[in-house]
Amino acid sequence: VANMPSAPATLAVRLDLAPGLPPVDGAQAQLVRVVTNLLANAREAMDDVGVLTVASAVCDLGSGQLGRYSKIEAGKYVKLTVNDTGSGIADAIRDKVFDAFFTTKRTDAKRGSGLGLTVVQSIVDDHKGYIDLETVPGRGTTFYVYLPIGRERVASDSTVGQIGGTESLLVVDDERFQRLVAEQMLQVLGYQVKTVTSGEEAVVYLREHRADLVLLDMVMPGGMDGVETYRRILEVRPGQKAIIVSGFAETARVREAQRLGAGAFCQKPLTLDQLAQAVRAELGRGR
């Protein structure tokens, strides 16, 4: 909350934080991203007008708790609650907010698009936790995050460092939402990220700039696909490392890109762990 951009006078922020919370196993950078995305989502829902409440507590679920989206296993958790008094989420889209393929392209409004929530879901899953929500259209939304209480030690940010890095990465995807999700995940892992919207733009960028790795979408209607893009990239950057991502199963076109020198194929929706391993493996692979 302390890192949240300045709130206007129209937005009241209420904190109900339990003192002396036990530690959870995880990496600070990733967990900060969870909180940051939930706060940004809440502010967008209210257009910075209303009350934003953040609470934390310890809860002991002796027999598990059935949430809207999953049954939370029995155990002790640190529970984070983020509540807004915004417009709520309409019934028609409520069950899609964590879907990496869901986007409201017909409007620039981010609420309901799942922007940031896919990253939150992925990080919480990687921490063996759970996320749930309650919403009433016209009255607001509450997100609940349950993180298992740590056992003997708390992992440091070096945990992420083992699978992340600081190299420069180029994300090529025609879908704005997919670019944002990939960018946020990679930034959580420490990478420097540039995004472009097409294969043509990727080639132009790489003529003037270097990237240690390219994350290349295979299907980009209206322009060059992943194979043709990679072929053109190799003309300006021989030996360029790349991994292929797609919402479809592996195809002959994917295998053709790999014959040209591309590395792993990652199927969408991406998870943080999947992406971290694929990127690190390709960056470490010799030519």
Side-chain angles (χ1 to χ4, degrees):
V1 177
N3 294 326
M4 186 174 66
S6 298
T10 54
L11 178 66
V13 179
R14 297 178 180 172
L15 302 180
D16 183 14
L17 306 178
L21 288 174
V24 298
D25 287 334
Q28 180 179 349
Q30 293 189 21
L31 296 178
V32 167
R33 181 69 61 149
V34 168
V35 177
T36 300
N37 283 0
L38 289 176
L39 293 178
N41 197 70
R43 291 187 63 173
E44 288 164 3
M46 297 185 288
D47 290 327
D48 273 347
V49 178
V51 180
L52 170 59
T53 303
V54 181
S56 62
V58 175
C59 62
D60 189 348
L61 304 180
S63 58
Q65 175 174 316
L66 184 61
R68 176 175 292 278
Y69 295 96
S70 63
K71 183 176 181 180
I72 303 168
E73 293 184 7
K76 293 184 178 180
Y77 297 87
V78 170
K79 179 182 178 182
L80 171 69
T81 303
V82 177
N83 169 263
D84 68 65
T85 57
S87 58
I89 302 172
D91 291 344
I93 63 174
R94 181 178 55 201
D95 293 337
K96 300 179 181 180
V97 296
F98 296 113
D99 187 344
F101 286 94
F102 181 66
T103 178
T104 51
K105 280 192 167 183
R106 291 173 296 180
T107 175
D108 289 334
K110 295 179 181 178
R111 182 57 168 182
S113 69
L115 178 62
L117 293 179
T118 298
V119 175
V120 169
Q121 175 82 73
S122 180
I123 293 173
V124 171
D125 286 348
D126 285 348
H127 284 73
K128 311 302 180 185
Y130 301 87
I131 186 168
D132 202 14
L133 71 86
E134 292 178 350
T135 186
V136 178
R139 296 181 60 183
T141 301
T142 304
F143 283 93
Y144 305 100
V145 176
Y146 298 85
L147 297 171
I149 290 176
R151 297 184 180 179
E152 295 183 358
R153 64 178 181 85
V154 178
S156 68
D157 281 340
S158 63
T159 303
V160 177
Q162 294 173 6
I163 59 172
T166 58
E167 291 93 340
S168 60
L169 275 59
L170 177 66
V171 175
V172 186
D173 201 307
D174 63 319
E175 294 269 358
R176 176 178 178 272
F177 177 62
Q178 299 295 338
R179 292 195 303 274
L180 289 168
V181 169
E183 180 180 27
Q184 288 195 15
M185 287 186 175
L186 292 168
Q187 287 175 344
V188 163
L189 295 166
Y191 295 108
Q192 302 175 56
V193 186
K194 166 70 177 177
T195 66
V196 295
T197 63
S198 68
E200 290 83 355
E201 190 178 347
V203 174
V204 170
Y205 176 83
L206 289 171
R207 284 198 182 106
E208 302 295 332
H209 306 85
R210 292 186 178 275
D212 294 303
L213 179 68
V214 176
L215 275 73
L216 185 57
D217 187 28
M218 180 53 61
V219 180
M220 293 181 285
M224 297 188 298
D225 71 354
V227 173
E228 184 58 28
T229 298
Y230 190 47
R231 185 178 286 113
R232 295 277 300 278
I233 286 174
L234 291 175
E235 292 176 1
V236 298
R237 293 290 179 190
Q240 175 66 60
K241 293 184 177 182
I243 60 176
I244 302 297
V245 296
S246 176
F248 300 96
E250 186 173 349
T251 64
R253 295 293 281 172
V254 171
R255 291 188 288 274
E256 184 175 348
Q258 290 174 325
R259 283 194 293 272
L260 290 172
F265 165 69
C266 296
Q267 188 168 1
K268 300 176 184 177
L270 298 170
T271 67
L272 190 66
D273 184 62
Q274 171 200 28
L275 190 60
Q277 292 188 39
V279 168
R280 197 68 254 157
E282 184 61 20
L283 285 170
R285 185 165 72 97
R287 287 293 185 204

